[in-house]
Amino acid sequence: MNARHAAALILAAALLCSCQSAKRSRSKNLRLLFAGDIMAHTQNFAMKDYSLIWNDVRDMVQDADYSFANLEAPVDKSKPFESYPTFNMQPSYPAAALDAGFNLISLANNHSNDQGSQGIKATALWAAQIEGRAQNKEASQGQNPAPQTDSKAKTRTQTENGSKPKTRARPVFFSGITEGGQMSFRQFHWHEYKIAFIAVTELLNTWKNYEEINYVPPTKKGRAAFVQKIAGMKEALQPDLFIVSVHTSEEEYVLTVLPEVQKFYKDLLAAGADIVVSNHPHVIRPVELLGQKADKKIRKAIIYANGNTISGQRRLLNYDEPEQIWNYTGDGRLFEMELAIDEKGFFALNYKTTFITAFTPQGERSPVIKRLDENFIKTLSENGQKKDSKYYQARLDALKKIKDILTWQ
């Protein structure tokens, strides 16, 4: 090999390395959005067009690569809609949320078995159709029978009557119902990075068929066992990002978090989870961001509760006492995170809270989601809805008192 040939090979190798490094550095940042509970009370499913619920936040949900929500009801098309205390959704209602862009869905909560084993199986089949794995008999724990390699990949699902397949803009992933007698989870790719997602519940309204749900006993022993499971999954899967959803055994309609629950979540982070998102209280609680003192980067997060994203719990506005606790059930939070990556893994480049509220337009009986901000309040005032404007200003002021927690380790 002459000197000229050797130089050419060295240049080619350098260019190849440069291209590979550039490819990694050019990978766009990962955008996540975390919502709260998607519920359907009588006034919610009375709507004729469920897509209207999401119009004011659709752009935010779709802009994220992955948007999380907890679906708080079975989905069984063979049964009618049903409200509290035993919920059921027809597929058309959650389909509107998926069309709005939600694609990381927890099916594990205290209402998961409201319709018994039939409801659980119907929900699992519906989710399987959405994921495009309904006909794959080899589907097993933690596997994506039709694995997706990018958030822009498309999946095919069935329409409500199970006829013409519909193409969704991006894949949807579910966790919360057991598969093969084991807890289900999902592992998928965003560009060259692996993401793992698991959803569990510590609460069930009835013990019937509990083995069909990703259930964690809310005891020291039960929680310790789940922490060990997360550690085992982290070691086996080696995900670049690990998201854990927990429907926690706590009292509802309380703004504070129990110390033992905080410890449980931090144990999950220590075991390998990167983001723990909690639900069940139906009110907003703080977000705790955990950073490393060494590099001043936030690499872990606990979302203690995002409240209700949509529900009918707040049927009437309490104009006289807008800060009374039940008023919180009509509000929620969309928590956005933009993650970058370095040699240690993902870290939060920035994050943002957007408050939302369930608002019933004049002349209507069903609420839609509105961004709870000064523009919304100003519009109400300009439309002559002074009383409503004052109420929602008080609600916004109350929510702003719920501060993020920044912890350096």
Side-chain angles (χ1 to χ4, degrees):
M1 180 184 296
N2 58 39
R4 184 176 181 181
H5 190 196
L9 288 176
I10 293 171
L11 177 61
L15 288 173
L16 178 61
C17 292
S18 174
C19 289
Q20 288 176 338
S21 298
K23 180 180 178 182
R24 184 178 179 88
S25 64
R26 281 200 304 266
S27 293
K28 68 174 184 176
N29 296 330
L30 175 61
R31 296 174 61 87
L32 304 175
L33 180 143
F34 295 90
D37 301 322
I38 295 177
M39 307 185 74
H41 293 84
T42 303
Q43 60 268 50
N44 301 117
F45 56 70
M47 292 182 72
K48 293 182 179 179
D49 184 357
Y50 301 131
S51 69
L52 298 177
I53 294 171
W54 305 101
N55 282 349
D56 202 41
V57 296
R58 189 183 306 273
D59 58 336
M60 294 176 59
V61 178
Q62 293 184 353
D63 281 349
D65 295 292
Y66 299 100
S67 291
F68 167 89
N70 170 56
L71 191 60
E72 191 120 350
V75 182
D76 187 347
K77 67 180 180 181
S78 72
K79 296 183 178 182
F81 278 103
E82 191 172 344
S83 186
Y84 181 84
T86 52
F87 288 97
N88 185 63
M89 294 179 184
Q90 284 279 306
S92 53
Y93 190 85
L98 302 186
D99 289 341
F102 286 100
N103 60 348
L104 209 59
I105 308 297
S106 166
L107 298 173
N109 50 72
N110 57 305
H111 291 286
S112 295
N113 59 352
D114 277 5
Q115 300 298 325
S117 184
Q118 177 184 328
I120 297 169
K121 288 179 169 59
T123 305
L125 178 59
W126 169 78
Q129 290 174 335
I130 299 293
E131 289 184 330
R133 59 183 176 85
Q135 303 304 317
N136 192 321
K137 295 182 180 179
E138 296 178 358
S140 61
Q141 179 199 13
Q143 295 178 334
N144 293 316
Q148 304 295 338
T149 57
D150 191 277
S151 62
K152 294 186 180 298
K154 296 184 177 181
T155 55
R156 298 183 70 80
T157 184
Q158 300 294 318
T159 56
E160 184 177 344
N161 62 11
S163 56
K164 297 179 181 179
K166 175 182 178 180
T167 301
R168 292 196 180 278
R170 56 185 181 178
V172 182
F173 301 101
F174 298 87
S175 175
I177 295 176
T178 59
E179 296 171 2
Q182 302 295 320
M183 283 188 179
S184 68
F185 63 89
R186 291 292 174 262
Q187 182 176 235
F188 46 94
H189 287 82
W190 177 79
H191 296 287
E192 66 265 42
Y193 306 111
K194 292 190 295 184
I195 300 175
F197 167 59
I198 186 169
V200 302
T201 183
E202 293 188 316
L203 285 172
L204 291 169
N205 288 346
T206 172
W207 290 108
K208 294 180 179 179
N209 313 109
Y210 75 92
E211 70 280 356
E212 298 181 49
I213 308 296
N214 283 7
Y215 174 68
V216 173
T219 61
K220 287 185 178 180
K221 183 177 179 181
R223 287 174 173 174
F226 184 61
V227 168
Q228 289 302 309
K229 181 174 182 62
I230 293 302
M233 291 175 64
K234 178 72 173 181
E235 182 177 358
L237 302 176
Q238 293 294 305
D240 297 290
L241 185 71
F242 198 169
I243 300 171
V244 179
S245 168
V246 183
H247 203 82
T248 316
S249 177
E250 291 186 87
E251 187 176 353
E252 296 174 302
Y253 321 119
V254 176
L255 300 178
T256 55
V257 186
L258 295 172
E260 57 266 34
V261 172
Q262 289 181 310
K263 180 183 183 303
F264 175 39
Y265 294 161
K266 290 182 179 181
D267 287 346
L268 290 173
L269 295 183
D274 297 297
I275 299 173
V276 174
V277 53
S278 174
N279 29 75
H280 180 63
H282 300 298
V283 297
I284 296 173
R285 290 177 172 180
V287 172
E288 184 170 3
L289 301 155
L290 298 96
Q292 296 181 347
K293 292 180 181 179
D295 59 12
K296 297 297 182 182
K297 291 180 179 178
I298 295 168
R299 298 188 184 273
K300 304 274 187 176
I302 303 171
I303 302 165
Y304 285 108
N306 280 332
N308 288 333
T309 300
I310 186 65
S311 79
Q313 282 193 294
R314 184 180 63 189
R315 296 173 183 245
L316 299 174
L317 306 185
N318 190 336
Y319 295 107
D320 296 328
E321 298 180 278
E323 289 196 39
Q324 188 270 342
I325 193 64
W326 192 255
N327 291 274
Y328 285 82
T329 65
D331 303 322
R333 172 179 55 209
L334 301 180
F335 186 73
E336 298 174 272
M337 300 182 74
E338 183 178 5
L339 305 183
I341 196 163
D342 60 15
E343 66 281 355
K344 293 183 179 179
F346 281 104
F347 65 92
L349 197 62
N350 55 65
Y351 53 92
K352 175 185 176 183
T353 284
T354 298
F355 295 121
I356 57 174
T357 195
F359 172 72
T360 304
Q362 289 183 316
E364 301 291 337
R365 60 173 294 195
S366 301
V368 297
I369 299 170
K370 290 291 184 181
R371 301 188 198 197
L372 184 53
D373 56 23
E374 301 296 344
N375 288 333
F376 169 64
I377 294 167
K378 181 181 178 182
T379 299
L380 289 176
S381 181
E382 291 173 346
N383 289 342
Q385 296 173 261
K386 303 292 185 180
K387 198 173 182 180
D388 286 350
S389 176
K390 184 178 179 180
Y391 172 84
Y392 285 107
Q393 182 65 63
R395 291 302 313 135
L396 179 58
D397 293 341
L399 298 182
K400 285 181 177 179
K401 295 176 183 178
I402 303 172
K403 301 295 186 181
D404 293 336
I405 303 166
L406 186 55
T407 302
W408 295 103
Q409 298 175 324

